[in-house]
């Protein structure tokens, strides 16, 4: 196993632990067991404990989405950015094999602890997609509804894919959503 030297090395390990166990299920003992990092090292990097760890994971997810999804949707060629969003989201969620940790945190009591980060994630994604849809030729009202439908579709496809243990559900759903949004921008 790699020796961890930086806080940033630990965050992806924590993310997978929270994805697997949830916030409440990720006790410090289980985090230590899953990551292979001692309690002393964890507290060195995250003196605020588990809450700080989860906050760092959410910030890392946010940074990835800002760079790979939101910024291109806001600034790049609209149609190309929307197409890239589908590819990037498919890759990020491993074709439905990886849950959306932000979405999972939104569904339980963790929501209250991280409500700002959770709400911001979805609001920014919807707004960025809406912006791209408008630039691609959608009317503002339709763009809002399609953006919300797109994000709902992604989140729903993740849940259904996981529930059915069938990653093809996620892939098919993304393809269907992509076609729907593409047709709306013609």
């Amino acid at each position: 196993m790699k020796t961890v030297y930086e806080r940033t090395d630990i965050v992806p390990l924590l993310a997978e632990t929270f994805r697997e166990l949830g916030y409440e299920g990720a006790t410090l003992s289980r985090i230590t067991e899953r990551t292979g990092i001692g309690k002393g090292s964890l507290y060195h990097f995250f003196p605020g404990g588990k809450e700080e760890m989860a906050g760092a994971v959410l910030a890392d997810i946010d940074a990835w989405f800002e760079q790979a999804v939101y910024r291109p949707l806001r600034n790049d060629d609209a149609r190309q950015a929307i197409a890239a969003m589908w590819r990037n989201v498919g890759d990020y969620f491993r074709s439905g094999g990886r849950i959306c940790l932000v979405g999972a945190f939104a569904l339980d009591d963790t929501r209250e602890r991280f409500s700002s980060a959770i709400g911001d994630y979805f609001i920014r994604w919807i707004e960025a997609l809406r912006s791209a849809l408008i630039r691609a030729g959608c009317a503002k009202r339709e763009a809002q509804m399609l953006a919300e439908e797109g994000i709902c579709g992604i989140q729903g496809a993740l849940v259904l894919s996981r529930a059915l243990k069938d990653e093809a559900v996620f892939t098919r759903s993304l393809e269907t959503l992509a076609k729907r949004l593409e047709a709306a921008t013609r």
Side-chain angles (χ1 to χ4, degrees):
M1 176 178 261
K2 175 185 172 193
T3 302
V4 178
Y5 295 104
E6 301 291 330
R7 176 180 160 124
T8 55
D9 295 327
I10 300 171
V11 173
L13 302 173
L14 292 170
E16 294 312 312
T17 302
F18 285 123
R19 278 188 179 90
E20 184 181 335
L21 303 173
Y23 182 81
E24 294 303 327
T27 63
L28 194 55
S29 295
R30 293 183 89 187
I31 291 170
T32 300
E33 174 188 307
R34 293 279 200 283
T35 63
I37 301 165
K39 289 180 184 180
S41 294
L42 287 171
Y43 275 115
H44 169 74
F45 288 112
F46 304 96
K50 183 169 77 167
E51 189 165 333
E52 185 177 346
M53 292 175 206
V57 167
L58 290 172
D60 187 62
I61 292 168
D62 181 72
W64 185 90
F65 271 86
E66 177 61 37
Q67 185 267 329
V69 178
Y70 309 153
R71 188 175 301 135
L73 286 171
R74 286 192 306 261
N75 300 321
D76 295 351
D77 174 83
R79 286 183 176 82
Q80 289 177 4
I82 293 168
M85 177 191 77
W86 299 117
R87 284 189 308 276
N88 290 337
V89 165
D91 291 345
Y92 182 82
F93 292 118
R94 298 182 184 152
S95 301
R98 178 192 227 191
I99 69 165
C100 175
L101 187 56
V102 180
F105 278 12
L107 297 175
D108 63 21
D109 291 336
T110 309
R111 174 185 62 246
E112 298 308 316
R113 186 173 274 118
F114 302 104
S115 64
S116 178
I118 292 167
D120 191 52
Y121 169 85
F122 289 111
I123 289 167
R124 288 172 50 223
W125 195 351
I126 291 166
E127 287 177 355
L129 182 52
R130 177 183 175 272
S131 168
L133 288 165
I134 290 169
R135 289 192 332 276
C138 264
K140 288 181 181 180
R141 182 169 166 79
E142 183 182 16
Q144 180 68 32
M145 291 186 311
L146 286 171
E148 290 171 357
E149 180 183 333
I151 306 315
C152 286
I154 291 166
Q155 294 297 312
L158 285 167
V159 171
L160 190 58
S161 178
R162 188 165 174 91
L164 299 177
K165 297 179 183 173
D166 183 0
E167 293 176 5
V169 169
F170 182 75
T171 303
R172 283 193 307 272
S173 293
L174 286 190
E175 290 169 358
T176 300
L177 288 164
K179 288 176 186 171
R180 176 151 165 63
L181 269 63
E182 184 180 333
T185 60
R186 287 189 187 141

